[in-house]
Amino acid sequence: MAFFNFNFDKPGPGVPENAPRKKGLPRFWEMFTRDGTAFWRAGMLALLGAVPYIAGVWFAVVTHAVLPLLLAGVVGGAVMAPQLVGLNDTILRSLRDEPGYWWATYCRAWKRNAKASLLPGVVFGLLLGTEIFSLFHTDWAQNPVLIAVMFVGVFLLLGLALLTFTQIALLEMSFAGILRNALLLLLGYLPRAALAVLWLLLYAAAIGLFFPLSVPAVLLFNLWLPLQAALQAVYPGLEKSFDLEKKIKAIRDASLNDTDGADR
């Protein structure tokens, strides 16, 4: 795999028709070797979009100031969200084994979903920033129960955020409807959702524990690695609940038929 071959004009490879899909690590490796370059590009854009949020939350924690935290949640969350949805869209297309030109499909998805992602970005940015700020400003020895409750809150929040941004990449629906679906999916497929959040937390913990030695890993794996693992965990539940691939195929076929009819 030419991991850093930035050729936006080369069509993406597909998979043999009707080939049974692999599972677990073989499926992860199959997706990575086929679409790893696209993952890295979309992940770098997502990482760059997340820099204002990460910097704002870090500054709020080290200065013990609430105002930078609020700014990070509102401004940083809004800036970060469209790129996160774009990365979700890139990985979801790979999970559907959908061939295509990455840059063209990424730009279309970004334009289509940018506006819808802003409010969720602000809401989850504020909530997650508040949780992180509180964890760093609570005496763990004196408040073990409170710390446990906060960790459960972070766990649930990450699960809801993951399922929310994933749906934004897939559905056209109000934020309230998407949030309700996210809660139902989280509860209905709790083991898979828990596994997805675990991947996210383990990656974040590893980067934090080994920082700054982990900087090269961040540049290489940015946000695509944990999100690929997380989406691979929850995708079967999404497909079962929404029948995604059948509906997307029907839309694509209808679009091709309309194009053929217009050419005649």
Side-chain angles (χ1 to χ4, degrees), residues 2-188:
F3 197 80
F4 292 100
N5 180 20
F6 292 94
N7 182 2
F8 296 110
D9 298 320
K10 183 179 178 181
V15 297
E17 187 175 1
N18 300 322
R21 286 181 179 167
K22 300 174 183 177
K23 297 180 180 180
L25 187 58
R27 175 63 168 164
F28 185 95
W29 181 251
E30 177 188 52
M31 292 170 59
F32 170 70
T33 53
R34 185 185 66 203
D35 300 313
T37 306
F39 291 172
W40 185 84
R41 294 167 182 163
M44 280 304 296
L45 291 175
L47 180 61
L48 290 173
V51 167
Y53 180 77
I54 296 171
V57 173
W58 172 84
F59 184 77
V61 169
V62 298
T63 60
H64 317 291
V66 175
L67 182 58
L69 179 68
L70 297 177
L71 290 174
V74 175
V75 179
V79 170
M80 173 176 58
Q83 287 70 243
L84 281 179
V85 176
L87 176 57
N88 272 270
D89 182 81
T90 298
I91 297 174
L92 287 167
R93 289 178 187 276
S94 181
L95 281 163
R96 298 196 299 267
D97 295 321
E98 185 176 313
Y101 296 92
W102 170 75
W103 184 241
T105 54
Y106 180 91
C107 289
R108 280 200 304 270
W110 194 96
K111 293 176 182 178
R112 183 179 65 248
N113 300 315
K115 184 177 180 180
S117 68
L118 296 180
L119 179 58
V122 171
V123 171
F124 285 113
L126 283 171
L127 292 175
L128 182 59
T130 301
E131 290 276 7
I132 294 172
F133 188 87
S134 300
L135 283 170
F136 276 96
H137 290 85
T138 302
D139 189 337
W140 289 36
Q142 297 295 325
N143 301 279
V145 175
L146 180 59
I147 293 295
V149 170
M150 288 182 182
F151 271 109
V152 172
V154 170
F155 193 91
L156 294 175
L157 191 61
L158 288 176
L160 287 173
L162 172 68
L163 293 167
T164 295
F165 287 121
T166 301
Q167 288 181 84
I168 293 173
L170 294 168
L171 308 172
E172 292 185 7
M173 189 182 295
S174 67
F175 180 37
I178 285 178
L179 194 58
R180 182 198 62 191
N181 285 347
L183 180 59
L184 293 175
L185 288 166
L186 180 66
L187 297 176

